[in-house]
């Protein structure tokens, strides 16, 4: 299959696999798509090691990296970032989380003691964190660099281009798409509200043609709600040059999520996600759990902004995940992660390569069916 995406990146399938799991990234690229690694959780040395590992597995196939750099937060951050953020967390919010954990049988004291420990995610929002990650990305010659939050900062675009990478931007509206193009990105990812992670309110079927209309010839990928070949074909029919998928890989054997979380994901239905500010401070789609029910309950404080809510939630979920691994029922009720509405289609763990193969074959089948319905198999 040939689209503007496959031509631009020299790949066989118009399918991008976004994941925090290096094994998924390597397998998607090996299978002919483009694996994209979420690089927010690591410092530069760790990222360097992960990219080296991916390259060894990929056999020279291109891959990408995704950063989380809010344009407004990268300048002027103090050196002691985490301590300064910690001081801004209101006592009311701290007490709310401590009580919520205690109500589920977890240690409020351990939570209070751990809050604000060194955190790669928060650290990446500091200037030194971002520059260090960019150095590694440039050194490794990655094929694509993406930025999730808002217009890509100028130096990410400049350094990505200088290194010969395609710079991509995720957008939730046509207005955001125009801003990303103005910031210099080469490729737009139209991410609909169905998607896991930070997401807007517009559905993928509505958003994709709107973004294509303002893209001025730049390739557009559709994201959100794509986990099957038919959904991938629908993205292409809507005018996209490919599909960008995140949730489907949570159902892969190479995904690094804890077994306790995977069990919850495999059991969930498509209505079991929630778009909530309760984990990061920005609206993100995630598996609904007792955590979200509590934050939506009467008397709950308003979630804080990013990154304060992220800081508040991070240590809580570290305790939750640790206890859920031992089968603790209270922790299991709270456990959650970012996932989109396609969670309902995840039923068993499969090898990443098999997921790619099945999606590509299913996409071809759906496109041939569409052509047959139109009474022709000739390209328009
Ligand atoms: C577990 C998970 C974590 C995510 N984290 C990020 C992130 O750090 N940066 C980003 O650009 N997108 C992130 N996303 C969004 C994906 O890049 C992608 O747009 C989305 O998953 C597509 O929709 P889908 O979940 O329906 O496949 C995340 C998605 C998931 C499922």
């Amino acid at each position: 299959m040939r689209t503007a995406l496959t031509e631009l990146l020299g790949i066989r399938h118009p399918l991008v696999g976004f994941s925090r799991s290096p094994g998924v990234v390597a397998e998607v690229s090996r299978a002919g798509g483009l694996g994209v690694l979420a690089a927010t959780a690591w410092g530069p040395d760790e990222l360097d090691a992960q990219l080296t590992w991916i390259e060894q597995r990929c056999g020279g196939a291109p891959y990408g990296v995704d950063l989380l750099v809010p344009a407004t937060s990268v300048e002027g951050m103090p050196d002691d970032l985490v301590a300064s953020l910690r001081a801004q967390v209101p006592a009311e919010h701290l007490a709310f989380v401590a009580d919520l954990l205690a109500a589920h049988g977890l240690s409020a004291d351990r939570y209070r003691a751990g809050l604000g420990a060194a955190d790669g995610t928060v650290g990446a929002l500091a200037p030194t964190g971002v520059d260090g990650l960019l150095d590694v990305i440039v050194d490794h010659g990655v094929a694509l660099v993406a930025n999730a939050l808002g217009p890509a900062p100028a130096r990410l675009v400049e350094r990505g281009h200088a290194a010969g990478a395609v710079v991509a931007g995720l957008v939730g509206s046509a207005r955001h798409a125009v801003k990303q193009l103005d910031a210099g990105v080469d490729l737009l990812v139209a991410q609909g509200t169905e998607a896991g992670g930070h997401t807007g309110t517009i559905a993928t079927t509505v958003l994709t043609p709107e973004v294509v209309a303002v893209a001025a010839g730049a390739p557009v990928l559709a994201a959100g709600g794509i986990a099957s070949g038919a959904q991938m074909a629908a993205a292409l029919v809507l005018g996209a040059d490919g599909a960008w998928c995140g949730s489907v890989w949570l159902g892969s054997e190479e995904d690094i999520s804890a077994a306790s979380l995977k069990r919850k994901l495999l059991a969930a239905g498509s209505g079991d996600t929630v778009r909530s500010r309760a984990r990061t401070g920005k609206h993100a789609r995630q598996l609904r759990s007792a955590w979200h029910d509590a934050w939506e309950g009467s008397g709950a404080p308003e979630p804080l902004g990013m990154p304060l809510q992220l800081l508040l939630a991070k240590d809580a979920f570290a305790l939750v995940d640790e206890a859920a691994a031992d089968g603790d029922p209270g922790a299991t009720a709270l456990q959650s992660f970012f996932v989109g509405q396609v969670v309902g289609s995840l039923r068993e763990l499969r090898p990443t390569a098999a997921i790619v193969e099945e999606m590509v074959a299913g996409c071809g089948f759906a496109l041939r069916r569409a052509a047959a319905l139109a009474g022709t198999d000739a390209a328009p």
Side-chain angles (χ1 to χ4, degrees):
M1 213 176 296
R2 286 174 64 176
T3 71
L5 178 77
T6 61
E7 298 291 296
L8 184 65
L9 290 162
I11 55 178
R12 277 188 288 134
H13 309 309
L15 178 61
V16 177
F18 171 97
S19 175
R20 62 179 177 149
S21 307
V24 171
V25 173
E27 288 300 308
V28 171
S29 285
R30 259 161 67 100
L34 185 86
V36 172
L37 184 72
T40 48
W42 293 308
D45 290 346
E46 230 174 339
L47 179 64
D48 184 34
Q50 299 292 356
L51 299 191
T52 302
W53 185 90
I54 288 171
E55 282 153 19
Q56 284 162 357
R57 294 278 308 162
C58 272
Y63 68 93
V65 173
D66 181 282
L67 296 173
L68 200 71
V69 186
T72 50
S73 305
V74 293
E75 305 296 345
M77 287 279 198
D79 288 342
D80 53 351
L81 175 70
V82 175
S84 107
L85 291 175
R86 182 181 180 169
Q88 295 172 45
V89 174
E92 181 198 4
H93 288 74
L94 201 52
F96 178 78
V97 175
D99 290 349
L100 176 59
L101 294 176
H104 287 80
L106 300 170
S107 167
D109 289 343
R110 269 190 73 198
Y111 171 69
R112 286 178 184 279
L115 186 75
D119 176 9
T121 304
V122 176
L125 301 180
T128 48
V130 172
D131 279 335
L133 294 174
L134 280 174
D135 288 343
V136 174
I137 287 168
V138 168
D139 284 351
H140 279 267
V142 305
L144 177 144
V145 185
N147 186 55
L149 282 188
R155 71 172 179 279
L156 184 141
V157 176
E158 282 159 18
R159 295 198 64 190
H161 283 161
V166 170
V167 179
L170 275 75
V171 300
S173 70
R175 195 169 46 86
H176 289 162
V178 171
K179 281 192 183 166
Q180 289 277 20
L181 291 171
D182 288 347
V185 307
D186 312 300
L187 183 150
L188 295 165
V189 181
Q191 191 202 254
T193 189
E194 303 93 318
H198 293 115
T199 191
T201 56
I202 305 172
T204 304
T205 47
V206 176
L207 179 67
T208 303
E210 288 181 354
V211 173
V212 170
V214 298
V220 175
L221 305 184
I226 302 173
S228 72
Q231 287 160 339
M232 184 176 161
L236 297 173
V237 170
L238 286 169
D241 299 294
W244 172 290
C245 307
S247 294
V248 69
W249 319 111
L250 295 172
S252 73
E253 290 173 358
E254 290 83 0
D255 179 80
I256 57 173
S257 302
S260 55
L261 176 69
K262 285 193 175 183
R263 277 194 294 277
K264 283 192 81 168
L265 294 175
L266 295 179
S270 53
D272 291 335
T273 70
V274 62
R275 185 175 166 272
S276 162
R277 289 181 51 230
R279 181 127 183 187
T280 71
K282 284 186 179 286
H283 283 106
R285 187 170 300 284
Q286 49 212 288
L287 189 68
R288 178 183 275 283
S289 80
W291 173 268
H292 307 95
D293 295 341
W295 281 96
E296 286 172 14
S298 62
E302 245 328 272
L304 302 168
M306 184 189 246
L308 294 186
Q309 186 74 14
L310 190 66
L311 191 66
L312 196 66
K314 176 195 160 274
D315 287 325
F317 277 102
L319 290 181
V320 164
D321 291 342
E322 183 187 298
D326 296 331
D328 181 277
T332 303
L334 286 166
Q335 197 175 29
S336 167
F337 198 53
F338 306 107
V339 73
Q341 293 176 341
V342 295
V343 67
S345 66
L346 309 182
R347 285 291 162 253
E348 58 178 353
L349 298 184
R350 292 181 296 155
T352 297
I355 297 173
V356 173
E357 199 179 315
E358 195 179 303
M359 285 185 72
V360 170
C363 177
F365 177 82
L367 291 175
R368 284 193 297 280
R369 180 175 179 272
L373 286 174
T376 171
D377 51 14

